[in-house]
């Protein structure tokens, strides 16, 4: 104990300069991360007439930009709905397939298991653009252009590896004795999985669901290439396509308002599930 | 799992298929890329991709490391910072590109703060800088998060021992912190490099399509596909894929595969295999 004392007292010895520096660092990081986002939000609330004003707060708060986003001819509601459909079904499908697959990889022994795992990882590294060209051909042939499944199915290809990777790590942490005990008590392996493992894995599955949903919601290149009809666009594509009423001017106010609308659900999710998201993200990276 | 296996097989088959199905040209698409009329476009996009990869990853790692060190020591306000740090990560890239486009507008806040008139989003070096800045903003916090997780795994006793042995802060950082978080750093760098190599939506939305100074390989392939020239598009994206494989492979070889662990070596081995398969396929067609 006594040998520890000098070390333990060290931070107390000179709290002045270092604490101030640390606090300054914290403030700097927060500002760095939030300032652009803040600027977007503030710009969205300006009146269109003083859009280029540089004041820190709008002179006069206005929701004109948001009204412009929701004008019927913009069809932004539809885009938000599309995004929700695509991201939602992607999440549901990946969880369904991914949970089973991750469980199999974590627990069962079968031939080519390592190969299967490697293939899954390799798929996640595939550049999105390499998928676009062949998929455009295939989807044109089978008439899938401008459909939801044309966006959902390719999204699975990057969402599945993420899911499987995260969940495999999670299932490995659960002790195998749990299922053994359940199987001794007369469960089949399927029942053991359903009745014992799934309830225990719920937090991990939930974390993965958030991560997959956010990635699917943010997807851009596939949604941009597979769809050319306006009422099938997802929100990210719709935002980037906003054009001004008068030819080439950039409707920044409207764009910022739309950006805020697309981002707010994500930021809320981040704030609420912060701890889980951090755990999920770092689990993939540290291991 | 079966789904993802199929998907990949689909991609590879279709790539070969695309080239076969058109009038048979053999390796002409590839020859055009390297020496023909598209060589300029290709090498420019190649240079841009490489440039972006190295600059952004280097800046992001340094910033992320600094952030992680600050956060690691902080007691109060940690939850706040962690929430703040997730915001750039959660914003869709397309939206963040728009947001920076607004900031970098000729009459925007960046020029006002700098007191200069820089045409950030026109074609030119400033556009490159704009892409780098916005990409760094979006991903440096994420790296900070990863590194922070690594820092928290270092046992306190190591620092105490070093302190007793009389090592200063800088020495402690170099002798303990850096070696201990090396695995995390290597994974972060690898993931980020692979990500930037296929960067598409950020320059596409921030600066625009077909802008010489920021065109990446992904954008080039996208343009070709958009103009229904599937052959060259497939050639560009196949080359991009090979480039990604090559970078990952060299990286893992240089920095030691053992630190990334089994998964990564398996991954590289597999990718090497699939690359070999692919080159065999293209050679036979």
């Amino acid at each position: 104990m006594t040998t520890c004392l000098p070390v333990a007292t060290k931070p107390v010895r000179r709290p002045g300069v270092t604490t101030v520096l640390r606090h300054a660092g914290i403030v700097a990081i927060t500002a760095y991360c939030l300032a652009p986002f803040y600027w977007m939000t503030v710009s969205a609330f300006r009146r269109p007439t003083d859009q280029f004003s540089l004041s820190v707060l709008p002179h006069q708060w206005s929701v004109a930009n948001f009204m412009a986003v929701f004008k019927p001819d913009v069809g932004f509601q539809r885009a938000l709905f599309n995004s929700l459909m695509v991201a939602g079904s992607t999440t549901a499908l990946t969880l369904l397939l991914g949970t089973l697959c991750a469980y199999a990889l974590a627990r069962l022994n079968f031939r080519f298991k390592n190969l299967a795992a490697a293939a899954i990882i390799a798929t996640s590294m595939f550049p999105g653009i390499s998928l676009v060209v062949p998929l455009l051909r295939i989807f044109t042939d089978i008439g899938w252009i401008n459909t939801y499944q044309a966006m959902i199915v390719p999204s699975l290809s990057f969402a599945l590896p993420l899911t499987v990777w995260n969940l495999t790590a999670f299932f490995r942490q659960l002790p195998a004795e749990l299922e053994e005990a359940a199987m001794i008590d007369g469960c089949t392996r399927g029942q053991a999985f359903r009745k014992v493992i799934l309830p225990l894995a719920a937090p991990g599955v939930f974390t993965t669901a958030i991560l997959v949903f956010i990635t699917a919601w943010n997807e851009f290149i596939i949604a941009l290439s597979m769809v050319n009809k306006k009422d099938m666009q997802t929100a990210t594509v719709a935002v980037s396509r906003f054009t001004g009423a008068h030819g080439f001017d950039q409707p920044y106010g409207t764009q910022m308002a739309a950006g805020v609308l697309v981002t707010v659900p994500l930021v809320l999710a981040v704030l609420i599930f912060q701890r889980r998201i951090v755990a999920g993200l770092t689990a993939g990276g540290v291991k | 799992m079966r789904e993802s296996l199929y998907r990949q097989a689909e991609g590879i088959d279709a790539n070969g298929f695309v080239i076969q199905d058109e009038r048979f040209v053999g390796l002409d698409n590839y020859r055009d890329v390297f020496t023909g009329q598209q060589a300029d476009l290709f090498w420019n996009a190649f240079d841009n991709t490489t440039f972006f990869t190295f600059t952004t990853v280097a800046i992001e790692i340094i910033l992320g490391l600094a952030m992680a060190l600050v956060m690691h020591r902080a007691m109060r306000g940690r939850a706040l910072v962690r929430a703040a740090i997730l915001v750039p990560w959660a914003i869709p890239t397309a939206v963040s590109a728009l947001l920076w486009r607004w900031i970098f507008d000729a009459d925007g806040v960046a020029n006002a703060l700098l007191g200069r008139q820089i045409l950030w989003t026109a074609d030119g070096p400033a556009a490159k800088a704009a892409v780098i800045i916005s990409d760094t903003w979006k991903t440096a916090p994420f790296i900070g998060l990863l590194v922070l997780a690594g820092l928290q795994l270092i046992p306190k006793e190591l620092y105490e021992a070093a302190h007793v042995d009389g090592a200063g802060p800088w020495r402690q950082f170099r002798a303990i912190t850096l070696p201990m978080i090396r695995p995390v750093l290597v994974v972060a760098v690898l993931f980020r490099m692979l990500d930037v190599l296929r960067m598409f939506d950020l320059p596409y939305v921030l600066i625009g399509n077909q802008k010489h100074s920021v065109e990446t390989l992904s954008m080039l392939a996208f343009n070709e596909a958009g103009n229904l020239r599937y052959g060259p598009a497939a050639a560009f994206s196949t080359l991009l894929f090979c480039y990604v494989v090559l970078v990952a492979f060299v990286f893992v070889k240089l920095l030691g595969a053992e630190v990334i662990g089994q998964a990564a070596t398996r991954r590289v081995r597999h990718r090497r295999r699939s690359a070999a398969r692919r080159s065999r396929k293209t050679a036979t067609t």
Side-chain angles (χ1 to χ4, degrees), chain A residues 43 121 125 137 239 252, chain B residues 21-22 98 102 105 267 271:
Chain A
S43 306
I121 305 292
M125 294 294 159
R137 277 302 279 256
V239 166
Y252 281 118
Chain B
D21 192 35
E22 308 278 338
L98 269 183
W102 165 232
D105 188 77
R267 182 191 312 150
R271 292 156 120 247

Side-chain angles (χ1 to χ4, degrees), chain A residues 4-278:
Chain A
C4 285
L5 262 179
V7 181
T9 49
K10 199 220 160 188
V12 188
R13 210 167 51 205
R14 22 166 213 162
V17 183
T18 30
T19 353
V20 167
L21 270 181
R22 265 171 215 162
H23 283 228
I26 292 287
V27 172
I29 294 175
T30 319
Y32 172 88
C33 296
L34 291 185
F37 180 67
Y38 170 78
W39 192 245
M40 172 165 86
T41 318
V42 166
S43 306
F45 279 109
R46 285 186 210 285
R47 282 180 307 177
T49 39
D50 43 41
Q51 195 63 59
F52 284 91
S53 137
L54 295 169
S55 58
V56 178
L57 282 174
H59 294 301
Q60 214 153 11
W61 293 77
S62 131
V63 288
N65 285 325
F66 289 93
M67 303 296 274
V69 173
F70 283 121
K71 268 196 295 200
D73 55 318
V74 180
F76 195 68
Q77 298 94 315
R78 177 80 196 176
L80 280 176
F81 172 76
N82 290 340
S83 270
L84 201 65
M85 277 294 288
V86 172
S89 7
T90 308
T91 314
L93 275 173
T94 33
L95 282 187
L96 198 70
L97 294 167
T99 321
L100 295 175
C101 172
Y103 181 73
L105 281 179
R107 281 290 195 273
L108 308 180
N109 275 317
F110 52 92
R111 285 181 74 193
F112 305 121
K113 184 169 134 180
N114 284 350
L115 184 70
I120 290 168
I121 305 292
T123 323
S124 72
M125 294 294 159
F126 220 79
I129 185 68
S130 309
L131 289 176
V132 164
V133 179
L135 284 182
L136 266 180
R137 277 302 279 256
I138 296 170
F139 288 168
T140 316
D141 286 349
I142 59 176
W144 271 23
I145 297 294
N146 289 325
T147 57
Y148 284 130
Q149 63 266 33
M151 291 182 275
I152 294 169
V153 172
S155 290
L156 290 179
S157 78
F158 63 81
L160 262 179
L162 178 79
T163 319
V164 171
W165 197 237
N166 258 339
L167 283 179
T168 311
F170 195 81
F171 281 137
R172 285 222 174 99
Q173 287 169 3
L174 298 176
E177 287 80 23
L178 281 175
E179 294 133 278
E180 283 162 16
M183 278 152 80
I184 287 171
D185 288 348
C187 282
T188 62
R189 193 173 259 289
Q191 279 174 330
F193 173 68
R194 232 177 32 242
K195 293 188 175 156
V196 179
I197 298 299
L198 265 191
L200 282 175
V205 173
F206 185 66
T207 309
T208 317
I210 303 172
L211 292 183
V212 169
F213 188 84
I214 291 182
T215 5
W217 181 271
N218 294 357
E219 206 286 321
F220 186 74
I221 187 168
I222 303 280
L224 178 69
S225 342
M226 295 308 155
V227 162
N228 51 30
K229 259 197 350 227
K230 204 169 174 185
D231 54 350
M232 291 302 286
Q233 279 173 355
T234 59
T236 42
V237 177
V239 166
S240 73
R241 286 275 176 85
F242 272 177
T243 41
H246 317 289
F248 286 102
D249 64 31
Q250 283 271 344
Y252 281 118
T254 329
Q255 283 177 343
M256 290 304 115
V260 169
L261 286 171
V262 176
T263 319
V264 158
L266 301 182
V267 170
L268 281 183
V270 158
L271 289 182
I272 299 170
F273 304 119
Q274 203 214 108
R275 221 163 257 284
R276 287 192 180 289
I277 295 179
V278 172

Side-chain angles (χ1 to χ4, degrees), chain B:
Chain B
M1 168 186 70
R2 189 187 283 172
E3 197 77 15
S4 68
L5 282 176
Y6 268 127
R7 179 102 349 88
Q8 204 203 6
E10 211 170 70
I12 290 172
D13 282 355
N15 250 343
F17 185 66
V18 165
I19 299 166
Q20 280 174 356
D21 192 35
E22 308 278 338
R23 190 174 42 82
F24 179 77
V25 288
L27 290 176
D28 279 7
N29 278 329
Y30 290 90
R31 204 179 55 213
D32 272 359
V33 166
F34 286 116
T35 53
Q37 46 183 336
Q38 285 174 319
D40 284 347
L41 278 178
F42 172 74
W43 287 116
N44 171 55
F46 182 81
D47 288 348
N48 283 337
T49 311
T50 315
F51 176 73
F52 283 141
T53 305
F54 286 102
T55 44
T56 53
V57 172
I59 299 173
E60 283 160 22
I61 287 293
I62 294 169
L63 268 180
L65 192 58
M67 283 182 180
L69 286 173
V70 170
M71 282 190 291
H72 185 48
R73 295 288 166 79
M75 291 301 147
R76 270 190 299 164
R78 206 186 211 163
L80 175 77
V81 186
R82 217 163 40 177
I85 242 177
L86 282 173
V87 167
W89 169 80
I91 290 185
T93 319
V95 173
S96 88
L98 269 183
L99 156 66
W100 282 99
R101 195 187 170 112
W102 165 232
I103 290 176
F104 283 134
D105 188 77
D107 300 320
V109 68
N111 277 342
L113 287 180
L114 291 172
R116 297 249 206 94
Q117 280 297 318
I118 303 174
L119 291 173
W120 292 95
T121 48
D123 214 1
K128 278 199 176 75
V131 170
I132 290 172
I133 292 173
S134 41
D135 192 57
T136 318
W137 172 73
K138 192 165 159 42
T139 47
F142 174 66
I143 292 185
L145 209 58
L146 284 185
V147 175
L148 179 63
L151 282 179
Q152 282 165 347
L153 293 179
I154 305 179
K156 290 263 184 316
E157 291 79 21
L158 280 179
Y159 290 104
E160 287 166 10
H163 185 71
V164 169
D165 288 348
W170 174 241
R171 187 73 199 279
Q172 285 182 15
F173 174 73
R174 265 188 36 211
I176 300 176
T177 314
L178 271 188
M180 290 294 279
I181 57 169
R182 198 177 112 120
V184 181
L185 276 184
V186 169
V187 171
V189 170
L190 183 65
F191 279 18
R192 280 306 304 151
M193 274 170 95
L194 299 183
D195 256 5
V196 189
L197 280 174
R198 52 191 173 178
M199 177 161 70
F200 173 79
D201 33 10
L202 185 67
Y204 182 83
V205 178
L206 177 62
I207 311 294
N209 207 0
Q210 291 183 316
K211 293 286 177 69
H212 194 71
S213 63
V214 292
E215 189 162 60
T216 62
L217 283 172
S218 279
M219 292 165 81
L220 187 59
F222 178 83
N223 277 336
E224 293 295 308
N227 292 327
L228 298 179
R229 288 194 292 269
Y230 289 127
F236 284 133
S237 51
T238 308
L239 285 170
L240 171 63
F241 178 73
C242 294
Y243 188 38
V244 170
V245 171
L246 186 76
V247 167
F249 178 67
V250 168
F251 186 80
V252 173
K253 271 277 150 183
L254 281 183
L255 283 169
E258 82 281 1
V259 287
I260 309 183
Q262 219 187 347
T265 38
R266 246 192 264 139
R267 182 191 312 150
V268 167
R269 220 184 305 143
H270 172 80
R271 292 156 120 247
R272 212 188 317 163
R273 233 187 338 254
S274 63
R277 206 185 313 136
R278 180 181 287 255
S279 57
R280 259 203 308 280
K281 185 165 287 166
T282 46
T284 49
T285 44

